[in-house]
Amino acid sequence: MPRITQFTAALFIALQFIFVPAFAAPDDDFLAARDAFNARNSARLDQYANKLQEHSLAPFVRYWQLSLNLDAAKPEEVKAFLDGYSDVYVSDRLRADWLKALGKQKQWTLFQTELPLLINEDAEITCYQLQARLALLPTDKAPLTEAKRIWFSASDLATSCNPLFEQLADEELLSVDDVFARLRLALEAGNVSVARYVTQYLPSKYQSGVKALETVASNPSHFLEKRSYDLSTRGGREMVLFAIHRIARTDPEQAIHRWESIKSQFSPEEQAYVAGQIALHLARRHEPNALAWFGYAKDAPLSDFQLGWKARAAMRAQDWNALLSAIAWMNEAEKRRPEWRYWYARALKSLGRPVAADEQFAVLSREHHFYGQLASEELGAIIGPTLATYKPTEDEIKTIAINPALQRALALYRLNLRLEGVREWTWAIRKFDDKQLLAAAELARRNELYDRAINTADRTQQLHDFSLRYPSPHRETMQGYTKSLNLDDAWVYGLVRQESRFVQVAKSSVGASGMMQLMPATAKWVAKKLGMKSFSLGVVTKLDTNFALGTYYMKHVLDTLSGSPVLATAAYNAGPGRARKWQELKPMEAAAYVESIPFNETRDYVKKVMSNSAYYAARFGDPLTSLKKRLGIIPGKSKEELPSDEP
């Protein structure tokens, strides 16, 4: 038996020497072709394209060739690619690029012919489509009506929308109120450059009032102190309202003080508007007078964002009627979000309407997420061992494995082109049914592409396999650290799943590295605590080092935050100081604490980590514990001294 094993090993090594060079050379050529494309070197790209015609990633090379000369490309060339490679992600990308080129060239007939074949939506193309409809049928004003809906945005919009807005203005379909409405949206979002662009649509008599825009943005307090505004003009009043809002973002109490001294000079509508803005920022800082200020807003139209924070303020105050009212005023899409369905039902239950509450909980309980779990528990159920409802057969996995798009995705991953690999994989599975999705997820798991396994298995609607949704790679290695620190495996894996999807080389835009996504300062601090000599940031992505540093830090924040996994999870993402700041002086329900975290990213992160933990506990066969019990009660703020050198 050992002799057979040795022979097999020797044969495998020999085959590597035979096949790897032949395999590596085309891959090297592909990467060189990509470099040529990035350098916009068409001649060099053409040289490599000739060598790569039989490569599995040849469609990408041809896409690069066409992209570099798309404005001059003949329609038949582009169509030939789109028809020949319709199963490749870059085909839809090329079609989008081509439509934009056609829009710039105003080739509207060809544009309209190709547009229905585009799969992924694109805001720039949407505005070109409206331009095309106006050009081909000038008497139809419906496109302008649609363009006006697009106008009301706080964000910078594609330049393809500008001709539509100019036509709206020329035909007097864009009123002064419409312009000021978008101006407010932009300023509320802090998009001063967008606000500056919007002011050009104001008639000349309004221009002088908004000239102070940059001054207000940079120093709103100084602007108010100088009193250089003219309240007889609409623009002058809007600048004052902007100044109050700008101050309220960082110091709502100062904003209140300044507003109280001048508010009598403003109309009831303007006073209500400012009250809504101040209330928003009081709520985000968990100030107890937030609900009172929402009351001062009276009938002012509040955005869904403001209503969300009114609901959160009511939640923390346990004012269930105010919570119901805030949710009732949200638009239908916002009301359907899991958090508001859950809290609406909780309010009904607290107000003595259990039957109506249970109806809401029953629907929500069928969904696999944080609020679906909490809804199940409201009905008396706790997540048990999550057995798969379907396991793909070997034949199904083999069939999926020869899917050309998935083969291309795997090839891209092999070349460390992860972004391209993710896009190609996502494109490949977009029409898969549940059985195909689970087979593809298993294929990803076998290739140690845990992020693809998770994301693919997460898409199933009726058939599920939670072992693919919640994989636990490197568990033996991880347990060496969790056991020594007495950490809950399920919580640690729940966090790692959310941090990196088990991608060892993961690196965030802010510099966090490895599976446990450690920031450089945190990694250095923990390494010093652990006595790691000659530590350098280059080793942070190494598995053992990453687990050692990450689990130590998890233990640290858990111990210094009253043993609360919710506070520790928030601290891991946003820092211990912020997690403490968001506590109340008295104990509070953890679910209310989580939902009222001011940072969208951290709020979503904590929900997902704690939800993951419950699923992992079930997978690991831990004793049944409800998610609500895992969340626990958030204790009142501690007066204990904090570590002076804490990152």
Side-chain angles (χ1 to χ4, degrees):
M1 195 73 177
R3 291 183 63 189
I4 296 174
T5 303
Q6 290 170 2
F7 173 79
T8 304
L11 178 61
F12 176 73
I13 293 169
L15 288 172
Q16 277 190 310
F17 280 106
I18 294 170
F19 290 111
V20 168
F23 189 61
D27 283 353
D28 290 342
D29 287 341
F30 179 80
L31 293 173
R34 184 172 177 267
D35 290 340
F37 167 69
N38 289 333
R40 304 193 65 80
N41 189 331
S42 297
R44 189 166 179 77
L45 176 58
D46 291 344
Q47 290 176 3
Y48 284 109
N50 291 331
K51 299 166 67 176
L52 291 164
Q53 292 181 29
E54 302 304 318
H55 196 281
S56 63
L57 298 177
F60 284 79
V61 181
R62 182 60 183 141
Y63 163 72
W64 294 333
Q65 287 179 296
L66 285 168
S67 293
L68 288 182
N69 301 286
L70 194 55
D71 289 340
K74 296 178 180 178
E76 52 269 26
E77 282 185 282
V78 181
K79 285 184 177 182
F81 177 88
L82 296 175
D83 292 342
Y85 296 114
S86 59
D87 67 330
V88 187
Y89 161 73
V90 289
S91 67
D92 198 58
R93 194 167 176 181
L94 183 71
R95 192 184 302 279
D97 293 342
W98 191 34
L99 285 167
K100 291 173 187 177
L102 293 174
K104 288 177 185 176
Q105 297 164 6
K106 301 190 185 302
Q107 296 189 41
W108 300 126
T109 302
L110 183 54
F111 177 94
Q112 289 290 70
T113 301
E114 293 298 320
L115 180 63
L117 301 174
L118 183 70
I119 304 296
N120 292 316
E121 292 185 6
D122 186 292
E124 183 179 352
I125 292 172
T126 297
C127 281
Y128 276 131
Q129 179 195 16
L130 297 177
Q131 283 193 54
R133 288 167 56 190
L134 284 169
L136 296 172
L137 189 59
T139 57
D140 181 13
K141 298 302 179 184
L144 288 177
T145 302
E146 294 178 42
K148 190 168 181 178
R149 284 196 290 268
I150 294 171
W151 165 261
F152 295 104
S153 170
S155 304
D156 196 7
L157 298 172
T159 56
S160 60
C161 300
N162 292 348
L164 298 166
F165 300 151
E166 288 162 11
Q167 188 169 344
L168 282 170
D170 290 343
E171 298 190 19
E172 298 183 350
L173 297 173
L174 202 60
S175 70
V176 170
D177 285 342
D178 293 333
V179 178
F180 275 113
R182 187 176 178 198
L183 181 67
R184 281 187 179 183
L185 288 173
L187 294 177
E188 288 165 16
N191 292 333
V192 178
S193 61
V194 175
R196 191 187 311 115
Y197 161 80
V198 170
T199 60
Q200 70 179 303
Y201 288 92
L202 287 171
S204 56
K205 68 178 182 178
Y206 293 94
Q207 291 290 338
S208 61
V210 297
K211 283 182 179 178
L213 183 61
E214 303 290 349
T215 302
V216 179
S218 61
N219 196 335
S221 294
H222 182 65
F223 170 77
L224 293 177
E225 287 164 5
K226 282 182 65 179
R227 295 180 177 272
S228 56
Y229 46 81
D230 181 0
L231 294 184
S232 68
T233 68
R234 173 78 181 270
R237 294 200 308 278
E238 290 293 336
M239 290 301 97
V240 173
L241 302 187
F242 173 40
I244 296 294
H245 171 259
R246 195 80 165 175
I247 294 169
R249 292 194 313 168
T250 54
D251 191 344
E253 292 301 330
Q254 184 195 153
I256 291 171
H257 173 72
R258 291 188 178 278
W259 178 239
E260 292 291 352
S261 66
I262 58 174
K263 74 175 185 180
S264 61
Q265 301 174 67
F266 291 81
S267 70
E269 292 78 13
E270 289 166 329
Q271 291 184 35
Y273 169 76
V274 170
Q277 295 301 316
I278 290 174
L280 166 66
H281 295 294
L282 287 168
R284 295 188 75 189
R285 296 169 71 90
H286 306 145
E287 298 292 350
N289 56 341
L291 281 179
W293 275 87
F294 274 118
Y296 303 151
K298 299 178 182 176
D299 296 328
L302 300 179
S303 67
D304 285 330
F305 186 64
Q306 288 172 296
L307 290 167
W309 278 102
K310 181 179 180 182
R312 293 182 180 101
M315 185 189 305
R316 288 178 78 106
Q318 296 191 345
D319 186 334
W320 302 112
N321 283 311
L323 178 54
L324 287 178
S325 174
I327 296 172
W329 280 102
M330 294 174 183
N331 71 37
E332 290 305 314
E334 188 70 14
K335 285 179 187 175
R336 288 196 295 271
R337 292 176 62 89
E339 58 265 41
W340 304 132
R341 287 188 284 148
Y342 173 79
W343 285 106
Y344 193 86
R346 280 286 306 276
L348 291 175
K349 186 174 182 178
S350 298
L351 291 170
R353 298 170 61 188
V355 175
D358 286 350
E359 288 176 358
Q360 301 272 346
F361 287 136
V363 175
L364 191 56
S365 69
R366 294 193 284 270
E367 300 171 21
H368 303 292
H369 50 61
F370 181 80
Y371 281 117
Q373 290 163 273
L374 288 178
S376 294
E377 291 172 9
E378 290 289 342
L379 297 171
I382 298 176
I383 293 176
T386 48
L387 300 174
T389 59
Y390 186 80
K391 286 282 188 183
T393 66
E394 286 300 319
D395 284 344
E396 286 172 328
I397 297 166
K398 287 177 183 177
T399 300
I400 282 294
I402 60 174
N403 178 289
L406 292 181
Q407 287 185 330
R408 284 191 295 271
L410 292 174
L412 289 163
Y413 270 99
R414 185 182 72 238
L415 295 173
N416 291 320
L417 301 176
R418 297 191 63 86
L419 178 59
E420 292 90 339
V422 167
R423 287 171 173 169
E424 188 70 10
W425 186 281
T426 304
W427 178 263
I429 66 172
R430 71 192 189 283
K431 295 181 180 178
F432 281 8
D433 61 25
D434 283 359
K435 289 184 179 181
Q436 291 172 311
L437 286 169
L438 292 175
E442 175 60 17
L443 176 67
R445 187 197 66 79
R446 293 181 183 186
N447 282 275
E448 298 185 359
L449 301 178
Y450 301 109
D451 60 325
R452 292 303 94 212
I454 292 167
N455 288 23
T456 305
D458 263 345
R459 290 170 175 258
T460 58
Q461 299 297 312
Q462 303 296 328
L463 306 175
H464 308 297
D465 184 349
F466 283 84
S467 68
L468 292 171
R469 290 192 185 196
Y470 298 92
S472 52
H474 316 294
R475 194 169 178 211
E476 269 190 38
T477 303
M478 178 64 87
Q479 283 184 316
Y481 299 100
T482 56
K483 285 183 177 178
S484 66
L485 294 168
N486 195 28
L487 284 174
D488 175 18
D489 266 8
W491 177 48
V492 176
Y493 266 91
L495 184 140
V496 179
R497 182 186 188 270
Q498 187 58 28
E499 283 287 354
S500 67
R501 292 288 199 265
F502 305 102
V503 177
Q504 187 171 341
V505 296
K507 191 159 187 175
S508 76
S509 59
V510 293
S513 300
M515 281 200 193
M516 299 194 72
Q517 288 290 277
L518 289 149
M519 292 293 289
T522 304
K524 289 177 182 177
W525 183 82
V526 175
K528 184 178 179 181
K529 292 287 183 183
L530 290 172
M532 290 185 177
K533 296 180 179 179
S534 304
F535 173 78
S536 70
L537 292 175
V539 300
V540 172
T541 57
K542 289 186 177 179
L543 202 63
D544 276 293
T545 304
N546 200 262
F547 285 176
L549 298 173
T551 53
Y552 180 94
Y553 188 63
M554 287 184 75
K555 177 66 172 175
H556 165 74
V557 291
L558 185 68
D559 288 346
T560 57
L561 288 164
S562 309
S564 165
V566 169
L567 291 176
T569 302
Y572 198 95
N573 180 264
R578 291 192 180 101
R580 296 182 185 101
K581 180 182 177 182
W582 300 330
Q583 289 176 261
E584 294 278 15
L585 292 174
K586 59 183 180 181
M588 68 180 297
E589 181 185 353
Y593 172 92
V594 173
E595 186 53 54
S596 57
I597 289 173
F599 297 170
N600 294 346
E601 178 194 320
T602 305
R603 185 166 63 249
D604 182 63
Y605 175 89
V606 176
K607 290 178 192 177
K608 286 179 177 172
V609 169
M610 296 310 299
S611 173
N612 293 347
S613 301
Y615 282 113
Y616 272 113
R619 271 216 63 211
F620 294 162
D622 295 348
L624 287 182
T625 304
S626 70
L627 176 58
K628 191 169 185 178
K629 187 174 181 180
R630 283 182 167 276
L631 296 174
I633 297 295
I634 302 299
K637 288 183 181 179
S638 172
K639 295 181 180 178
E640 295 177 12
E641 289 189 16
L642 308 177
S644 59
D645 63 339
E646 189 176 69

